[in-house]
Every structure is written in structure tokens, then in C-alpha cells.
Amino acid sequence: MNDENSNNYLLEMKNITKNFPGVRALNDVSFYLKKGEILGLLGENGAGKSTLIKILSGDYSLEKGEIYIDGQSQVFLSPHESISAGIRVIYQELNSFDSLTVAENIFADNIIQNKLGIVSWKKMNQKSKEILRNLGSQIDPAEYVENLSVGGKQIVEIAKAIRRKAKILVMDEPTSALTERDVEHLYEIIRKLKSDGVSIIYISHRIEEIFEITDRVVVLRDSKKVGEKKTSDTNRSELVHMIVGRDLSEQYKRREIQKGNVVFEVKNLSYLDRLKDISFSVKEGEIVAFFGLLGSGTHTLFSVLFGDKKKTVGDVFIEGKKVDIEHPFTAKAFRLGYIPYDRKEEGIALGLNVKQNITSTNLENIGKGFMLDRNTENLHANSWFKKLNIKAPGIDTPSKSLSGGNQQKVVVAKWLEKDSKIFLMSEPTRGIDIGSKAEIYEIAEGLCSQGAAVLMVSGELPEILSVSDRVIVMKDGKVVKEFITKDTSQEELMHFATA
Amino acid sequence: MSNTDLNVNRKSGWQRINIFKVNSIAPSLVIVFILMCAIFGGINPQFLSFVNFKTIISGLSVYGMMAVGLSFVVLTGNFDVSVGSVVGICSIVMAMMFNIEGVKIPIAVIILAGIALGAFVGAINGFLITVVGINSVITTLGTLAILRGVALLLANKPALINDKFYVSLGRGFIAKTIPYSFVYLIVIFVIAYLLLRFTKFGRNVYQVGSNSNAARLAGIPVKRTQFLTFVVAGITCGISAFLMTSQAAFAQGEFGTGFEFTILTIVVLGGISLAGGRGTLIGVAAGLLIINSIANGLTMIDVPVFWREAFNGIILIAAILIDSIRVRRRELLKA
Amino acid sequence: MDGKVLEKKKTSFRLTDTLILLIALIALVLIFSLIRREFFSYDNISTMLKNMVITGVLALGLTPLMIARGLDISFGASISFSGVLMAYLYNLGIGLPYCLIVGVAAAVLVGFLNGLLIEKFDLIPIILTLGMMSILSALALVMSEGRSLSMLTDQLYYFATRTFLKIPISLFVLIIFIIVFWFILTFTKTGRTIYIIGANPKVATLSGIKVQKVRILLYTFMGLVTGIASIVMVAMTGVGNPLAGAKMALPVLSAVVLGGISLAGGAGSVWGTVIGVLIVSVIFNGLSVLNVPSYFIQVFQGLALILIVSLYEVRNQRAARR
């Protein structure tokens, strides 16, 4: 591949390495992008895709390695510099001015004025219309962005990038929240851009899309580049193998745990239009994984189950008894514990110390009546501190100064302190180092061996396969299929999640 | 055709009757206004008389101008509770300039000086909020106290203005029907409307309020824009001070006390969202008309003065409840 | 290296924060005493402390509320309203205890309403309570027809004027409040819950804490504190004055913010608030002993508020940059 003349490359990233405290996010990754090419960037969650993109967009500083654009070495110190170099990233969370019109969003940073400095709405609308029509979209430039669907907003973001004459467009999971018709439309736009000479880096989980739209693919795994192929030279199973590739024997080895009675059962649960008719059950000692792509509703499901969002219809049974969970307070009383997806905003209060976080779920049992008993508190907190092997100077250490893995252990300790029996874990190992990951798995297993049940949302298939007993695959807010873990494979799960 | 359907959420009924097409509550305010006229007019037909109409129109200007200025501030997501005190200090200073012994300062200079003082005070607020980074409520609460204290220190008794021309600027009528003050108000409204709609600064105001993070990423000068909105608020306070002093022909330290409350009510009722980035001056005009007509109407039907004040508080709370419900509806739609 | 070392470091850091305020307080006292000998006299100090009771009680009530990221500025109007209500009822010939109970109940109801509306509709606290303030002050004027209603009773007079061990009795109310609030915030589960909510309301909710309920309770409690402050006010002045609390918001808020409680919540302590109240009172009293016009005192207060918050802000920004 290196024999090609590198002068043809519009973008080249060479030997990119990036470390975060305790984690190597990128390890010597190199790739190139040609003019008018659509490059698929593939990899599991945590493989390093978003770190790579954030270095390209100037969000993260470059630690080691080089970036060339049109053969010129570049250093991006801020998003602004990256934008001026012709790079535009369209993130999953769209950064739009919802209360303003489409035209204003497209021209947000370069409002059209006439010679007198008067804003020319007519011109702005007209030019926006041209850009949108060129993209094959019928969106009215005078429409307010908040009235658009997610697909519409995405088109506006693309229009914004085009207006700025972006040479390189990075699209991060652009189809994750789109309906099928919107996806078709997006493809058309992407092909149009390609024919206009724009280069695109297309990030996606969905293998079908990669074959539909890309010219070439680069696969990342465990912070390294593991493959690079022309799309026409590869096939689905090869790609899946590259993406998930790890030999399962390297993975965490699980113990066999005796299963008990059904402790948690959900029947026909719905929430607005985001969860539809969901039913499943979980036994004592069981770890059930929920797998789905972004927008499949797995995270929403957990926050509904824990009472943070109010279910629309459906029944939940705990140990055979029908329960009505309308607030996390009730969930806690029914011995549910929740490890939220967003650890720093929802899981742990960074302003409190370790001890205060651990006992926050169980104040009623720390001392009699109204009084908070410091000794009991220290005793309780210390016991979890030791049992979970939390690495910190002590229980009075501010939570802020802990590593991600240890913060997560504190969140787990919170619910152990409350003597929870049914654990809802949303991506419990997201962004934490391998050592802590294994510890979290061990903790989960330990819980199960004592009769607890664990429900786990995970986007990492090897994790699911090595830890869970059963897998429930979700898509578009619905349960697609349920598998016994040992009878399925990564390929099969991915297939049902994307099909 | 198909693409429009594809990318635009179906509008619910109330959005479809949105005649101003500005995602504002102006249409609902018009309905409120008509209902209100019907009620007051029903109890006291005098309410609908031409004479009373003139009274209402004459009373709009002082509040109206300040509401325009505050709208800029609230649109970027900040507050300014010092506006009443700014009017107080500007009024006193302008009146004092008429009373310097042996010196006759031209009226134009006095008016400009008053407006400049308002702008200066606004700049101080803006500096503390954008550069030092103090919360806007705390800052303006502080300047509210300081400016009121200074105003009272400067004038412990009313300062009279003996200048017929100056007074006529505030009290005069065009063709005995349209008060000058109303003309000033219209001019200011139009200028501000054009400023917000047709200048880069105006659009930046909306962008900053709509999503300050996106604004920062787009390279929009967020702090400078916020700073300028406080200056605009100060300027409108200066103009209001000119109008108040010329109508009253004197000034005292208490001028403008408690205005911040009424102004805030007008702005919020007019649909300028407290979350920023949303609402138009058309709504503010409607809010102004309603608040003034209510004050007038309650007098016409002989509601005691203190009850009228209580009514103002109820309207403010109603307005923020409506604002909150609208925000919640939008979020639910988003989900 | 174990936890104890860190713990000590942290408390000593907190102490320096309070220490600075304490030094500022002592410096102020010294300066005023040097300029005017009378400042440090028994008469002046006891007057100052008596005047401090109402500010202090209100600032204490605000402390837990603001730690939990709430805010109330309607207390001044609420004091006026309750005071007028009590005096009104008293003048109708209703027994003193009943008058007081109804007055306090009204303030409690106001606090509850504040909390209910703010929490259920997710309103900006300062705006809602601003509206409430206007309603209450108007109602106080309506009920009193704009006049002060006299309410002189032996019991209240006794309470306002007698001393015990040369300490004004009313001051004991403040001392009891300080102890109660310190106790609640430091030693009880409720206190801890308040700090957890202030640290991160979302985390608190997901830990099974009923954040809305706790906050509504705190607003209601602020109402109770306001009601008691209103009794003290009526006792000291002998009237139900519809404008009694009109200018309370600034000194009370200044005192609380001065004591280290930020509008962003999560931080602060009773001792910080106490020192904040002392500083505000010393400035107030010192300037009036120096015969500075009251308008100037108002200017000074506004300046002090802005200056101190600026200092906190600059320090926070430095810390964040580190």
C-alpha cells in the first residue's frame, strides 16, 4: 500500500499515538485519505476511532505522530485551526442553534451582509437553498431547525460544512438516529459530495453501510490499526473478524454459577416512541447483556427500569411481585442498583469524597434516627474500600482525584452498600483500563454467586461473550432476538443488531 | 414535497395558527389582549374610549424603551436587575446639569450625557459579568444598590427642571393626538428590531443565547456580544431617564425604583425566553401593551393601587410558568 | 500516605478560607474602634448584635437552601406580610399566640409554594421568588392600607428589651439557630443529603434521593425561619410594618455569599455564614457610628458584594486553570 505515491494523498496521519492516564488510546496508527475518496473507519467502542477523530479536529492535542494535508505538515492547536484547514467533523451530538432558522445555521459563522453591513436574509436564504438543493434536499431555509427531524438536522450540518468548502468531511455514525428513508437520502448526498471531490471519513458500526458507501476501510482494534482493505476486496465476515478479532481465550474466563428463580421480569414495556413492547426475565445468579447500536434504546431501557424516566405502559415484576417504580427511590427500595452510562455526571458526585459517595445510597442505615454516625460510616465505607480494592489514599480522598476505574468501583460500592440484588449496569467498563475492567467483571460474578442478578448494557461484543449468560439484542427500541451466550457468536449478534 | 415531509416534524395545531411565524407567543398575546379589552370595556366602557386610548399610549414609553434594552440582555441568557437604578442615576445627573449655577448647558449635550452615563454603567455591568465572570444576577443586584445609593446621595430633594423646551419634548403631542413620547418609542422599537434582525451583532445575540457553546465553536465573540447587550440596556435606560425627567420636569433619587420588576414581567410575558435565544420584539411590544392596559384597566375599574401591584406579581409568575411549560413541550418533542 | 494525612490537609485548607474572613472581621472591628472609641462600647455592641438577629436568622435559613442549589429572595416581603398579618389579627382582638401562629403559618405556606412551583415547573428560583416578593409586599400594603399597624404587647416587649447575663434575650434566638443549623448540617442525615444534592443533583436522584421533595422541604423551612424572623421584627419595632423587610434581601444575600456559599451550590458552612453576617453587621453599624449617611452604606454594601464575589470568582478561575 505504501508504494502509492504519497503526493496523491489529501490527508495523511502518521504514527499517531495518544495516551490518557492509565490507558493507551492510540498506538502508532497511520492512514491516508485520497481526494474524492470515502474511507470507512471501523472498530468497536473504545477501539480508538473517536480519539483519532478528535486529534484530527484539533479537540485533542497531538502527542506523537504527524498530520499532513496536501503534503504539508500540520499541527492543530484548536478546532478553529482544523476547520480553517478544510476539515469538518459532524458529530453524533449535533451542534446546532435550534431556535434559529436553517439558513442562519448554515451561515452561522459568516453571516452575509451587504456593503452597509445589513444582514441579507434574502441572499442567505437563497444561497442556503442552492446548497440544500445541490444536496438534493427540499428543506426550507427559513424553517426553524428545532422543527427538523434528526435527519434534517444532519443535512443542515452537512450543508454548513459544504458552505465552508470542506475538503475533508468526517461523519461519526451519521445514520445512528436516522430512519431508513433518511439513510437513503444521506447516501445520495454522500455520493454527490464524492463526485464533487470532497473526501469523506465515514465512521460506522453497521457493516452494510460500509459496503454500500465506502471505497476503502481502515479497522482499529485495541488502539491499533489491524487492517486496511479496498472495500471491493473484502467481505462481511472478514471485516467482522477484523473488528472483533480477539481470540476469545485471551478474554476473561468466567466461572459457572448456579442459577436460581426468576427475580426480575419485564412485560410489554413501552416508553414514548423510544421503547416498544419489551419483555424479558432474569434469574438469580444470571448476567444478561443487552446489545444494540446507538439509538437502539438500551440505555433508555435502563433509565426507565430504574425509574429515572417514567414508563408509558407495561409491567415490572420483582420476585414475582408486580411493582410500580416511578422514582429511583422506589427502585432502591426494591433492591435495584444502577450504574449509569455517564459516570462523571450521573454515577459519582465528584465534589464529594469516596466515603460520602459510597454511603449516599444508604444514609438511613448509617446511625440511628436523624443522626449520621461517623464511625458506622467509616466502618461501612472502609469495608467496601478494601473489598473492592479501590486504589486511593483513603476513604476521605476526593472522588475527583481517582482514576476512572476506581471511580467506577466507588459507584458499584454505593449499591453494594445498599445491599442491592438486581444490578443495572450501563457500559460499566467504558473508558477504564484493562485491569479495572477485569476487576469489575469479577465483582459482577461475585455478586451473581451470592444470588444477585446483573443486567448489563454493553457495546463491546467480546465483553458480552465472555461475561454474560444470555444476550438480548435490541434495535430501534425493540427486542430483536434473545440468545444463550455460549450458542452465539459476535458475527451473529452484530448481524441481528444491524439487520 | 416528499423531502419536506421527511425532514420536518408535523406541526401541531397551535403552531399552524402561528401567524407571525416566529415561533413566538405573539398570537396568543393578541388573544389575551382582546379578551382583556372585552372584560375591562364591559365593566367600564370608558376603558375603550379614545381619551383612555391616548392615556395608555402616553404611558407606554418609559417602560417600553427599558424593555427593549432588557430584551437584548435576556436574549443572551443573562439578567439585569439594575435597570431601575440606572434610570434613577441618569435622571438625577441630567436634572443636576440643568441646575448648575451660571452655566447653561445645551439640551442636546445634557440628553447625550445622560445616555452616555447609562451606556457607561451598562459597560461596568458587562465588564463584571463577562470579564470577571460573576453571575449576572449578583452583579446587577450589587450595582442596583450602589447606583440607587449614589442617586439618593446626589439628590436628597427633588431637582427641578425649568426649561420649557425640554419639558415639551416629553409632554408634547403631534396634532394633539399622538404623544411625542410614543413616537420616540416607535423609533426605538424599529431601530432595535432592525438591529436584532439585520445586523451581525443582532444575530450574534440570538446565536449566543441559543447555544453559547456552538457559538464559541463557530468563532462568534460570545463575551463581546454579551458585554454589548448590557451597554444597549444602559443606553435605553438613559433614554428612558430623559423621557421621565422631561415629562416630570424634575428628578429625584427614587426615580425608577422597582422598575426592574415590571420590565422583567413585560419581557418574559412577551415571550423572550429566560433560557435565551428565543423571542422577538413583536412579542415584547404585545407584552408591553398588555401590562400597561392591565394597569390602566385596573384603575378604570377602581381596583385599589396595592392590589394592582399584587396583580403584577401574579402576571410575572404566570408568564414564567408558560415559559417553563413551553420549554418542557419542546424537550418532549425532541425526545 | 493514608487518608488521615489528606483529611488534615483538607480541613486546614478550609480553615484558611474561614480564617481570611475572620481576619477581615477583626480588622474591621479594629479600624472602627480606632476611629471611634464608642464603637467598641457595650451599648453599641449590644445594639449591633440585636440588629444582627434578623439578618442572621435569615442568612442561616438560606444556607442549607443555597447549598442544595436553591434560592429565595422573597423573604423580605414575606416578613412584612407576616408582620402585618399578625398585627392586623392582634388589632382585631385575637389572642397573641394565635396571631403569632397564623403569622408564622402564612410564611411557611409561602415557602412551601415557592418550593412547589420552582421544583415542579423547573423554574429559575430568583425569578419566581421575585414574583412572590411583589405579590406579598402588595398584599402587606393592601392589608395595612399602607400604614404601620401597632402591636405592642408585654410579652414581645419583654423579649425585645430584656437581657440575660447582660446579653439581649433576642440574641439567644440567633445563638439557638446557629447551633441548630450547625448541628443539622454537620451531624444529621438531612445535612448530608443537602450536601449530596448540592454536589450533583442528578447523581443524588440516581442514588435514590428524592431531590425535589428535599428541596421543597428546604423552601418550606426557609418559610418557617422567615416567620420566626417576622416575630422578632414585630417584637423589636412594636409594629407590623408593610415595608419592614423591603430592604432585607441585599444584606442577607451579601452575608451568605460572603460566607462562601456560591450560587452554584454544593459548598458552604454555617460558620462561614455566621462570619459573613458578622462582617455585614459590623460594616453597617460601623458606618452608622461614623455618621455616614445611610445611602452611602447602601453603596458600600453593593460594592462589598461585588468585590467579594469577584475575589471568589477570580480564585475559582485560577483553581480551575491549575
Side-chain angles (χ1 to χ4, degrees):
Chain A
M1 231 148 280
N2 287 331
D3 52 3
E4 279 194 56
N5 184 356
S6 65
N7 287 338
N8 291 338
Y9 300 161
L10 177 60
L11 166 75
E12 196 173 10
M13 289 180 85
K14 268 189 177 165
N15 312 106
I16 307 287
T17 297
K18 178 87 187 170
N19 291 300
F20 291 116
V23 202
R24 168 155 291 188
L26 284 176
N27 191 351
D28 199 29
V29 174
S30 302
F31 76 95
Y32 64 89
L33 178 70
K34 287 188 283 192
K35 192 168 159 59
E37 185 184 42
I38 303 178
L39 175 72
L41 186 59
L42 287 120
E44 290 183 318
N45 287 339
K49 293 170 306 196
S50 47
T51 311
L52 192 62
I53 294 313
K54 281 187 173 158
I55 288 173
L56 183 62
S57 72
D59 256 7
Y60 289 164
S61 60
L62 184 59
E63 208 170 276
K64 215 172 139 230
E66 290 152 283
I67 302 175
Y68 295 94
I69 291 175
D70 280 330
Q72 303 277 321
S73 174
Q74 300 270 355
V75 181
F76 299 137
L77 295 174
S78 72
H80 209 72
E81 291 182 19
S82 163
I83 291 171
S84 350
I87 297 166
R88 284 293 292 179
V89 181
I90 299 172
Y91 292 104
Q92 284 163 28
E93 308 96 36
L94 304 169
N95 231 334
S96 53
F97 300 103
D98 282 357
S99 64
L100 305 180
T101 68
V102 170
E104 259 197 300
N105 269 273
I106 294 176
F107 284 91
D109 59 342
N110 193 13
I111 294 167
I112 301 180
Q113 294 162 290
N114 66 13
K115 279 176 209 146
L116 300 169
I118 293 167
V119 174
S120 174
W121 287 90
K122 212 173 146 193
K123 248 189 205 159
M124 241 163 31
N125 283 334
Q126 200 184 333
K127 287 205 173 171
S128 301
K129 199 168 181 173
E130 271 169 35
I131 296 170
L132 288 166
R133 295 304 173 267
N134 263 336
L135 291 173
S137 165
Q138 298 299 316
I139 296 175
D140 177 4
E143 185 59 73
Y144 288 87
V145 169
E146 64 196 352
N147 294 335
L148 299 183
S149 67
V150 181
K153 284 184 187 175
Q154 210 147 30
I155 291 169
V156 172
E157 287 290 311
I158 294 170
K160 209 162 151 183
I162 291 168
R163 197 219 83 224
R164 292 184 157 174
K165 310 258 181 289
K167 287 190 277 190
I168 299 165
L169 196 60
V170 183
M171 306 178 90
D172 190 359
E173 296 267 0
T175 57
S176 58
L178 298 191
T179 63
E180 268 171 54
R181 284 171 69 198
D182 278 351
V183 171
E184 276 309 317
H185 188 205
L186 184 71
Y187 288 163
E188 281 166 34
I189 290 173
I190 292 174
R191 291 195 188 101
K192 177 99 188 21
L193 291 173
K194 176 184 156 76
S195 68
D196 293 344
V198 177
S199 306
I200 293 168
I201 299 177
Y202 189 95
I203 301 172
S204 181
H205 267 106
R206 308 190 188 190
I207 308 283
E208 286 70 23
E209 295 184 356
I210 296 298
F211 284 103
E212 176 84 35
I213 200 84
T214 67
D215 301 315
R216 207 157 48 86
V217 289
V218 165
V219 182
L220 298 183
R221 190 206 315 147
D222 295 339
S223 321
K224 280 180 279 205
K225 183 167 88 174
V226 292
E228 185 168 7
K229 287 259 173 182
K230 274 213 164 110
T231 310
S232 51
D233 295 348
T234 183
N235 58 43
R236 184 191 166 88
S237 70
E238 189 188 27
L239 277 186
V240 169
H241 186 77
M242 277 201 277
I243 294 168
V244 294
R246 254 165 304 192
D247 199 357
L248 282 181
S249 63
E250 284 171 23
Q251 283 292 313
Y252 177 78
K253 291 264 192 346
R254 58 166 322 170
R255 288 181 282 168
E256 222 22 76
I257 291 163
Q258 191 62 44
K259 306 291 180 281
N261 301 322
V262 168
V263 282
F264 191 69
E265 194 171 8
V266 171
K267 280 185 183 161
N268 312 104
L269 182 101
S270 292
Y271 170 69
L272 300 179
D273 60 344
R274 299 175 50 201
L275 296 175
K276 292 159 209 150
D277 200 26
I278 289 177
S279 302
F280 64 87
S281 67
V282 184
K283 296 194 188 83
E284 283 173 345
E286 214 178 13
I287 298 181
V288 177
F290 289 77
F291 178 69
L293 302 177
L294 261 157
S296 61
T298 47
H299 296 296
T300 313
L301 173 65
F302 276 27
S303 44
V304 170
L305 290 179
F306 199 65
D308 191 36
K309 294 194 171 90
K310 220 177 148 124
K311 67 172 190 242
T312 314
V313 283
D315 298 315
V316 175
F317 299 85
I318 289 177
E319 290 175 337
K321 243 176 56 196
K322 190 172 152 182
V323 296
D324 189 18
I325 296 172
E326 85 293 340
H327 189 275
F329 179 81
T330 334
K332 184 166 85 171
F334 287 118
R335 296 180 73 189
L336 255 64
Y338 182 36
I339 294 162
Y341 173 76
D342 191 344
R343 181 169 56 239
K344 288 183 178 173
E345 287 300 322
E346 304 190 333
I348 191 165
L350 295 174
L352 301 177
N353 63 27
V354 171
K355 163 175 84 182
Q356 288 162 340
N357 267 298
I358 292 179
T359 55
S360 66
T361 50
N362 196 28
L363 291 176
E364 54 274 28
N365 292 320
I366 309 287
K368 289 190 186 108
F370 282 112
M371 301 297 295
L372 192 72
D373 183 348
R374 301 282 164 131
N375 288 331
T376 315
E377 181 175 33
N378 287 338
L379 218 65
H380 282 222
N382 253 321
S383 117
W384 296 119
F385 186 75
K386 291 200 184 99
K387 268 187 209 159
L388 298 190
N389 189 27
I390 295 171
K391 290 184 197 83
I395 53 172
D396 295 308
T397 308
S399 311
K400 231 181 292 188
S401 62
L402 267 56
S403 74
N406 285 301
Q407 284 178 352
Q408 194 68 300
K409 285 192 220 164
V410 172
V411 181
V412 176
K414 253 167 74 169
W415 297 106
L416 294 174
E417 167 68 19
K418 186 60 202 166
D419 198 20
S420 301
K421 203 179 169 196
I422 299 157
F423 289 82
L424 306 172
M425 303 185 176
S426 246
E427 299 279 6
T429 62
R430 187 177 71 105
I432 68 182
D433 59 290
I434 294 173
S436 302
K437 269 188 189 180
E439 283 181 277
I440 300 271
Y441 299 149
E442 262 165 47
I443 292 166
E445 271 192 353
L447 291 171
C448 287
S449 65
Q450 286 157 28
V454 173
L455 288 74
M456 180 192 285
V457 167
S458 175
E460 294 187 40
L461 285 169
E463 172 173 288
I464 288 178
L465 290 179
S466 58
V467 178
S468 71
D469 296 293
R470 271 188 298 139
V471 192
I472 292 170
V473 177
M474 286 179 66
K475 186 174 180 274
D476 298 335
K478 281 179 280 205
V479 170
V480 182
K481 205 167 160 67
E482 200 178 310
F483 299 93
I484 305 289
T485 307
K486 62 179 193 300
D487 300 338
T488 185
S489 65
Q490 309 197 26
E491 286 80 359
E492 188 178 29
L493 292 176
M494 191 57 101
H495 175 79
F496 278 93
T498 53
Chain B
M1 164 78 209
S2 68
N3 265 320
T4 322
D5 284 346
L6 210 61
N7 293 315
V8 181
N9 288 332
R10 197 174 300 130
K11 289 184 179 179
S12 55
W14 73 278
Q15 270 175 323
R16 239 180 263 153
I17 59 157
N18 190 341
I19 48 172
F20 291 91
K21 211 183 174 228
V22 282
N23 281 19
S24 83
I25 53 171
S28 346
L29 291 181
V30 172
I31 295 168
V32 170
F33 183 68
I34 292 169
L35 273 176
M36 209 184 64
C37 289
I39 293 170
F40 287 134
I43 300 173
N44 184 350
Q46 282 296 310
F47 178 80
L48 297 173
S49 68
F50 180 69
V51 176
N52 193 48
F53 176 73
K54 239 165 75 176
T55 313
I56 292 178
I57 293 292
S58 313
L60 291 174
S61 301
V62 172
Y63 284 161
M65 291 172 181
M66 292 168 74
V68 166
L70 189 66
S71 297
F72 279 71
V73 173
V74 177
L75 274 173
T76 59
N78 284 314
F79 294 117
D80 186 346
V81 294
S82 70
V83 284
S85 295
V86 181
V87 167
I89 189 94
C90 292
S91 301
I92 282 297
V93 169
M94 289 164 92
M96 285 169 74
M97 287 174 81
F98 278 104
N99 292 323
I100 301 171
E101 270 189 49
V103 189
K104 176 112 175 72
I105 304 171
I107 285 174
V109 173
I110 293 178
I111 294 173
L112 285 178
I115 295 171
L117 178 63
F120 175 69
V121 172
I124 292 177
N125 276 334
F127 172 81
L128 289 167
I129 291 156
T130 58
V131 180
V132 183
I134 320 175
N135 172 295
S136 63
V137 175
I138 293 280
T139 306
T140 51
L141 207 60
T143 45
L144 175 140
I146 296 170
L147 296 172
R148 180 63 61 207
V150 173
L152 291 166
L153 278 172
L154 288 176
N156 37 17
K157 61 180 192 326
L160 299 177
I161 299 170
N162 288 316
D163 187 312
K164 277 200 179 133
F165 178 63
Y166 186 76
V167 172
S168 73
L169 287 178
R171 292 184 183 169
F173 284 85
I174 294 172
K176 289 187 182 165
T177 43
I178 302 165
Y180 287 165
S181 64
F182 187 64
V183 177
Y184 307 149
L185 178 68
I186 296 291
V187 169
I188 292 206
F189 252 99
V190 169
I191 291 175
Y193 181 82
L194 295 177
L195 205 60
L196 279 177
R197 180 121 183 103
F198 291 106
T199 68
K200 198 164 175 178
F201 163 66
R203 297 328 292 170
N204 287 350
V205 166
Y206 276 94
Q207 287 169 325
V208 169
S210 178
N211 186 341
S212 66
N213 194 40
R216 193 178 50 80
L217 287 176
I220 289 158
V222 175
K223 286 189 170 176
R224 194 174 75 199
T225 306
Q226 287 179 329
F227 174 84
L228 286 175
T229 60
F230 284 96
V231 176
V232 170
I235 291 172
T236 57
C237 288
I239 302 174
S240 290
F242 147 66
L243 202 56
M244 266 189 97
T245 46
S246 68
Q247 285 181 339
F250 74 96
Q252 59 184 26
E254 281 89 1
F255 265 28
T257 305
F259 276 20
E260 58 276 357
F261 181 77
T262 313
I263 308 300
L264 189 67
T265 309
I266 291 169
V267 169
V268 178
L269 184 68
I272 306 277
S273 172
L274 291 171
R278 211 181 281 276
T280 67
L281 288 181
I282 297 171
V284 175
L288 173 69
L289 203 57
I290 290 180
I291 293 289
N292 257 57
S293 308
I294 287 177
N296 175 282
L298 291 175
T299 323
M300 298 289 286
I301 62 173
D302 292 326
V303 173
V305 60
F306 300 139
W307 279 113
R308 278 181 253 154
E309 281 174 32
F311 213 78
N312 279 346
I314 292 167
I315 296 170
L316 176 66
I317 290 178
I320 59 171
L321 281 177
I322 293 167
D323 185 39
S324 148
I325 290 164
R326 291 170 78 216
V327 168
R328 201 168 285 187
R329 267 176 86 151
R330 266 196 300 275
E331 267 160 19
L332 212 68
L333 270 175
K334 245 180 230 169
Chain C
M1 264 309 274
D2 64 307
K4 272 178 193 150
V5 181
L6 246 136
E7 167 88 321
K8 246 184 206 162
K9 256 191 192 161
K10 214 174 115 196
T11 45
S12 71
F13 170 71
R14 264 203 204 137
L15 256 181
T16 53
D17 231 26
T18 325
L19 214 65
I20 294 169
L21 287 174
L22 224 91
I23 292 166
L25 175 64
I26 292 167
L28 278 171
V29 171
L30 277 177
I31 292 168
F32 284 128
S33 313
L34 285 176
I35 302 176
R36 275 282 157 88
R37 188 76 47 83
E38 300 96 291
F39 179 79
F40 211 70
S41 65
Y42 167 79
D43 276 352
N44 186 52
I45 297 275
S46 91
T47 313
M48 186 185 87
L49 292 178
K50 252 207 274 189
N51 290 338
M52 202 178 77
V53 172
I54 293 171
T55 321
V57 164
L58 291 169
L60 285 167
L62 268 185
T63 300
L65 182 60
M66 286 180 70
I67 290 173
R69 304 196 188 189
L71 185 60
D72 181 358
I73 57 163
S74 67
F75 51 82
S78 183
I79 282 186
S80 311
F81 176 71
S82 286
V84 167
L85 183 62
M86 287 188 259
Y88 185 81
L89 293 175
Y90 188 72
N91 290 339
L92 288 180
I94 291 168
L96 180 63
Y98 298 109
C99 295
L100 300 186
I101 288 171
V102 173
V104 172
V108 169
L109 186 70
V110 167
F112 174 71
L113 258 179
N114 280 339
L116 195 72
L117 288 173
I118 289 168
E119 291 304 318
K120 293 294 172 194
F121 288 92
D122 203 14
L123 303 180
I124 299 172
I126 193 160
I127 305 286
L128 185 271
T129 51
L130 192 70
M132 197 56 96
M133 183 173 107
S134 135
I135 296 176
L136 289 172
S137 51
L139 288 181
L141 288 166
V142 166
M143 207 180 334
S144 64
E145 289 164 349
R147 296 168 296 130
S148 285
L149 306 179
S150 79
M151 186 178 183
L152 285 165
T153 76
D154 291 345
Q155 295 93 324
L156 289 180
Y157 183 74
Y158 179 90
F159 170 79
T161 52
R162 286 300 289 267
T163 59
F164 177 71
L165 300 172
K166 295 197 96 182
I167 300 167
I169 289 188
S170 54
L171 196 60
F172 284 103
V173 174
L174 180 57
I175 293 169
I176 292 168
F177 261 82
I178 293 172
I179 293 171
V180 168
F181 274 89
W182 171 67
F183 182 81
I184 290 177
L185 277 178
T186 321
F187 295 110
T188 69
K189 294 169 180 174
T190 316
R192 175 59 66 77
T193 309
I194 290 166
Y195 279 105
I196 294 173
I197 293 174
N200 187 331
K202 183 73 198 174
V203 172
T205 304
L206 290 179
S207 301
I209 291 170
K210 292 189 164 173
V211 174
Q212 284 195 344
K213 204 176 118 188
V214 173
R215 283 215 191 114
I216 293 174
L217 217 72
L218 288 175
Y219 280 105
T220 313
F221 199 61
M222 180 65 200
L224 177 66
V225 169
T226 309
I228 292 168
S230 177
I231 295 180
V232 177
M233 179 71 92
V234 171
M236 284 181 170
T237 56
V239 289
N241 178 352
L243 299 171
K247 291 204 164 151
M248 300 243 59
L250 189 68
V252 172
L253 265 181
S254 301
V256 176
V257 174
L258 198 62
I261 290 176
S262 82
L263 285 185
S269 71
V270 166
W271 297 118
T273 299
V274 169
I275 297 176
V277 170
L278 277 167
I279 291 181
V280 167
S281 302
V282 166
I283 292 176
F284 225 124
N285 177 274
L287 290 177
S288 46
V289 168
L290 296 181
N291 284 327
V292 171
S294 68
Y295 302 146
F296 189 74
I297 297 178
Q298 191 180 344
V299 173
F300 200 82
Q301 266 189 350
L303 280 175
L305 177 69
I306 289 180
L307 187 74
I308 288 150
V309 182
S310 303
L311 288 177
Y312 277 123
E313 194 53 49
V314 168
R315 199 192 58 185
N316 286 348
Q317 282 170 5
R318 273 214 197 119
R321 229 173 281 151
R322 224 173 281 149

